[in-house]
């Protein structure tokens, strides 16, 4: 008689390839018709007696939520790199392992970052609006001019996997790359990028600044009125990391005053309802938190989460464990 399949629930319907794998390898309820909230996930975990929970940032597990999980749960596998929605220490304290999906979304997030850099620099949102209104008149020589990306100096805050991938792409545009990080990388990883231990020393040299770090543990933004004032006037800010990294009031003021020529944003403090003042600004190119949103990457993320679920059931090491 075959062993019982590992018991698993997911908070959202996954991509087709992952759903087929669940049907083949796991015992699971039908895919939810809508993304489960935390209370619904916990209730289902109790009723189905799941060993593994697959979640996204839509379903946070913190504080009392962690305490409410049944003892049968041995793994929370988030289909994301970010962990802001999970209390990893509390989960680990209950003997529940945590996994995420690093690596597989690096290239797509870096690709999106380059799109934001180019779109913000070349006024893509404004050009698009002109075309949607029918265009109607030829632009003058000095009208609606953007900024060239090639040859500019790019500052990167956070030189992990994604930051390094962005730097690699920026070199294709002959950009000079600077970076600020908790530690200096090995020269083989820097590939010519210049390290600044002091953010304040790096910012005045940056034509474009791109953020690639997790949200701060204390919730304080790294981009404030002060840090924005240190950038050269007419710079570009790009954020495809976390909305909590940016003081949005300071960002709006800088965009209105011309301290920033433009911004490219994929993340916001209040998702999915960004500050209306940002939405109203003409010089912001915006995407709806879609850094990993390709078929290839989302499928790989789902599969890695399922790899972790299979490993916890088999008693083998997790492919991508997270510890507090």
């Amino acid at each position: 008689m075959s062993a019982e399949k590992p018991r698993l629930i997911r908070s959202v319907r996954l991509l087709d390839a992952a759903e087929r794998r669940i049907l083949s390898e796991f015992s699971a309820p039908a895919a939810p018709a809508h993304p489960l909230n935390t209370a619904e996930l916990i209730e289902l975990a109790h009723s189905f007696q799941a060993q593994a929970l697959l979640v996204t940032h839509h379903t946070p597990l913190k504080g009392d939520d962690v305490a409410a999980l049944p003892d049968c749960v041995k793994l929370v596998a988030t289909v994301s790199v970010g962990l802001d929605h999970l209390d990893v220490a509390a989960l680990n304290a209950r003997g529940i392992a945590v996994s995420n999906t690093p690596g597989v979304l690096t290239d797509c997030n870096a690709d999106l970052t380059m799109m934001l850099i180019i779109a913000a620099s070349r006024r893509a949102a404004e050009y698009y609006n002109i075309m949607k209104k029918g265009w109607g008149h030829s632009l003058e020589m000095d009208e609606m001019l953007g900024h060239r990306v090639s040859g500019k100096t790019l500052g990167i805050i956070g030189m992990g996997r994604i930051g390094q991938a962005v730097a690699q792409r920026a070199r294709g545009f002959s950009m000079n790359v600077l970076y600020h990080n908790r530690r200096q990388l090995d020269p083989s990883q820097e590939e010519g990028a210049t390290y600044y231990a002091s953010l304040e020393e790096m910012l005045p040299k940056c034509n474009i600044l791109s953020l690639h770090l997790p949200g701060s543990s204390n919730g304080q933004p790294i981009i404030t009125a002060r840090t924005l004032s240190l950038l050269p006037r007419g710079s570009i800010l790009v954020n495809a990391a976390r909305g909590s990294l940016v003081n949005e009031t300071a960002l709006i003021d800088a965009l209105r005053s011309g301290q920033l020529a433009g911004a490219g944003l994929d993340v916001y403090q209040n998702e999915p309802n960004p500050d209306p003042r940002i939405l109203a600004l003409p010089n912001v190119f915006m995407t709806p938190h879609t850094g990993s949103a390709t078929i290839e990457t989302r499928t790989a993320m789902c599969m890695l989460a399922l790899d972790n679920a299979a490993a916890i059931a088999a008693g083998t090491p997790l492919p991508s464990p997270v510890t507090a």
Side-chain angles (χ1 to χ4, degrees):
M1 184 175 180
S2 62
E4 182 181 357
K5 293 179 180 178
R7 299 178 72 80
L8 171 148
I9 61 176
R10 65 282 206 202
S11 63
V12 298
R13 176 177 173 80
L14 304 180
L15 274 72
D16 287 348
E19 288 292 337
R20 290 193 295 270
R21 181 177 174 188
I22 289 174
L23 187 63
S24 171
E25 299 180 19
F26 297 88
S27 176
H34 65 273
L36 301 181
N37 61 36
T38 300
E40 291 170 327
L41 180 79
I42 292 172
E43 181 181 0
L44 186 58
H46 278 275
S47 63
F48 191 73
Q49 287 292 288
Q51 296 168 280
L53 312 181
L54 266 65
V55 302
T56 69
H57 68 277
H58 299 102
T59 311
L61 290 170
K62 295 185 176 183
D64 292 343
D65 302 326
V66 174
L69 291 171
D71 292 338
C72 58
V73 174
K74 302 304 179 186
L75 171 71
V76 172
T78 182
V79 190
S80 67
V81 172
L83 299 163
D84 298 358
H85 54 299
L86 301 179
D87 187 336
V88 176
L91 287 163
N92 288 166
R94 282 211 55 193
I96 300 173
V98 177
S99 67
N100 65 346
T101 59
V104 295
L105 52 68
T106 296
D107 284 334
C108 277
N109 200 288
D111 289 349
L112 182 88
T113 297
M114 289 307 300
M115 180 180 81
L116 294 175
I117 288 172
I118 295 168
S121 299
R122 292 297 303 270
R123 303 177 71 166
E126 294 168 272
Y127 294 164
Y128 179 77
N129 286 332
I130 288 173
M131 298 307 298
K132 289 294 286 185
K133 292 175 182 177
W135 192 1
H137 75 279
S138 296
L139 298 179
E140 301 292 339
M141 278 288 290
D142 61 352
E143 187 178 1
M144 295 297 298
L145 302 183
H147 291 271
R148 183 176 64 188
V149 170
S150 299
K152 291 295 194 297
T153 296
L154 170 66
I156 295 174
I157 304 179
M159 199 66 153
R161 292 184 184 91
I162 296 172
Q164 291 175 50
V166 171
Q168 181 186 50
R169 286 154 175 75
R171 293 184 192 100
F173 289 83
S174 300
M175 298 180 78
N176 177 36
V177 179
L178 317 178
Y179 75 99
H180 172 70
N181 206 40
R182 285 179 297 179
R183 61 175 180 83
Q184 184 170 3
L185 300 181
D186 183 89
S188 63
Q189 295 175 299
E190 286 184 326
E191 295 187 359
T194 302
Y195 174 65
Y196 281 82
S198 167
L199 178 61
E200 289 75 11
E201 290 183 15
M202 183 183 82
L203 291 177
K205 299 175 174 63
C206 301
N207 305 119
I208 302 166
L209 183 67
S210 190
L211 310 182
H212 299 286
L213 64 165
S216 61
S217 57
N218 61 11
Q220 295 302 308
I222 193 169
I223 300 302
T224 63
R226 179 175 178 276
T227 51
L228 287 170
S229 71
L230 295 175
L231 290 166
R233 185 171 178 81
S235 298
I236 301 293
L237 175 70
V238 168
N239 186 12
R242 285 289 179 267
S244 60
L245 295 172
V246 177
N247 179 316
E248 290 185 346
T249 296
L251 171 66
I252 291 163
D253 290 343
L255 287 162
R256 286 174 173 170
S257 71
Q259 174 61 17
L260 289 177
L265 306 175
D266 185 52
V267 291
Y268 313 87
Q269 287 184 352
N270 186 30
E271 297 181 8
N273 300 295
D275 190 323
R277 297 176 297 167
I278 297 177
L279 298 174
L281 290 169
N283 52 342
V284 182
F285 184 87
M286 292 172 280
T287 51
H289 202 149
T290 54
S292 64
T294 66
I295 294 169
E296 298 88 347
T297 292
R298 289 281 172 88
T299 298
M301 292 168 68
C302 293
M303 291 302 191
L304 181 53
L306 291 174
D307 289 344
N308 281 281
I312 202 77
T316 57
L318 300 183
S320 53
V322 175
T323 55

